[in-house]
Amino acid sequence: MSTTPILLDFATAAAAGPALAGGKGAHLGFLARYGLPVPDGFVISTAALEQVMDEELAMVARQAGDDSRALADFRSRLEAMPLPTDLAAALADEIKRRGWENIPLAVRSSAPMEDSARASFAGIHHSELNVVGLDAIAAAVKRVWASLWTPRAVAYRRRLELAEAGMAVVIMPMLSAVAAGVAFSCDPVSGRDDRVVINAVAGLADTLVSGQV
């Protein structure tokens, strides 16, 4: 039996790095370590999806290739599966321990190559906001996993010649945001690294990152 942890607090996520905590999970851990005001949260590690993706399921994913219908069938199959027993139990215990059973949560994608030197995956993978209750959390986690196999995610990995298809999941409470957005330490249009570019909207940033605004 694997001893790789399936749930990580942010301190453990920072120590584990992106391979286990994904890009978002690891970087949130780094920010918390450096004293920045990061909301509380935890990470479902990449080991959880690896546990789900047995040899048969992995073969089905490979055979789907970039065929949109086959990928949709695979995502439906993955989303219909129950969470592994140990993950479901650990998740229920963690949510109860934190008193989060009835509060809105963000369930966020956190792939190992996200926000890395080589790839951003901005807007590629799925995240869900205002998720309430264990059943809804479990369903959202599976939809986040499944977003690895959308046509755009497969095409993005192929374009950058990335073989990996792992996914961690960050879970944290929703904030009542007055404004939210994305800050770039390098100008994404010109490539200049002597300026910071901030794109922001009123309220939550989901409309911004989805391209609606």
Side-chain angles (χ1 to χ4, degrees):
M1 180 178 293
S2 173
T3 57
T4 304
I6 56 173
L7 296 188
L8 313 168
D9 60 24
F10 282 157
T12 308
L20 200 57
K24 284 191 188 78
H27 290 134
L28 285 167
F30 295 148
L31 292 171
R33 174 190 289 175
Y34 299 142
L36 290 156
V38 177
D40 197 10
F42 66 93
V43 181
I44 301 174
S45 76
T46 55
L49 179 57
E50 290 172 2
Q51 184 179 342
V52 171
M53 291 291 291
D54 59 22
E55 186 174 339
E56 178 187 355
L57 201 59
M59 177 64 73
V60 174
R62 287 194 296 271
Q63 290 175 341
D66 58 2
D67 182 87
S68 59
R69 181 172 296 179
L71 287 170
D73 289 343
F74 175 78
R75 293 196 304 275
S76 295
R77 177 173 175 176
L78 181 59
E79 290 174 26
M81 295 176 64
L83 290 181
T85 303
D86 57 343
L87 172 59
L91 189 56
D93 288 345
E94 189 70 12
I95 294 296
K96 182 177 181 180
R97 184 180 71 82
R98 292 172 178 266
W100 292 356
E101 299 101 318
N102 298 302
I103 68 169
L105 302 174
V107 179
R108 308 179 64 194
S109 59
S110 183
M113 291 298 292
E114 282 185 356
D115 305 324
S116 66
R118 188 176 176 191
S120 71
F121 284 93
I124 297 291
H125 297 136
H126 182 65
S127 291
E128 284 200 21
L129 306 180
N130 294 305
V131 180
V132 181
L134 274 171
D135 290 344
I137 294 168
V141 167
K142 289 183 287 184
R143 284 191 288 270
V144 170
W145 286 343
S147 69
L148 278 167
W149 290 280
T150 61
R152 65 180 180 178
V154 171
Y156 190 83
R157 289 197 300 272
R158 179 169 296 175
R159 178 182 176 186
L160 294 183
E161 298 181 342
L162 300 174
E164 65 83 25
M167 181 66 78
V169 182
V170 175
I171 298 180
M172 56 201 314
M174 294 292 300
L175 297 180
S176 181
V178 175
V182 181
F184 298 90
S185 57
C186 175
D187 189 323
V189 176
S190 68
R192 288 180 56 174
D193 59 5
D194 61 343
R195 62 174 61 187
V196 173
V197 176
I198 298 174
N199 294 335
V201 295
L204 298 173
D206 54 332
T207 57
L208 174 66
V209 298
S210 67
Q212 295 179 48
V213 175

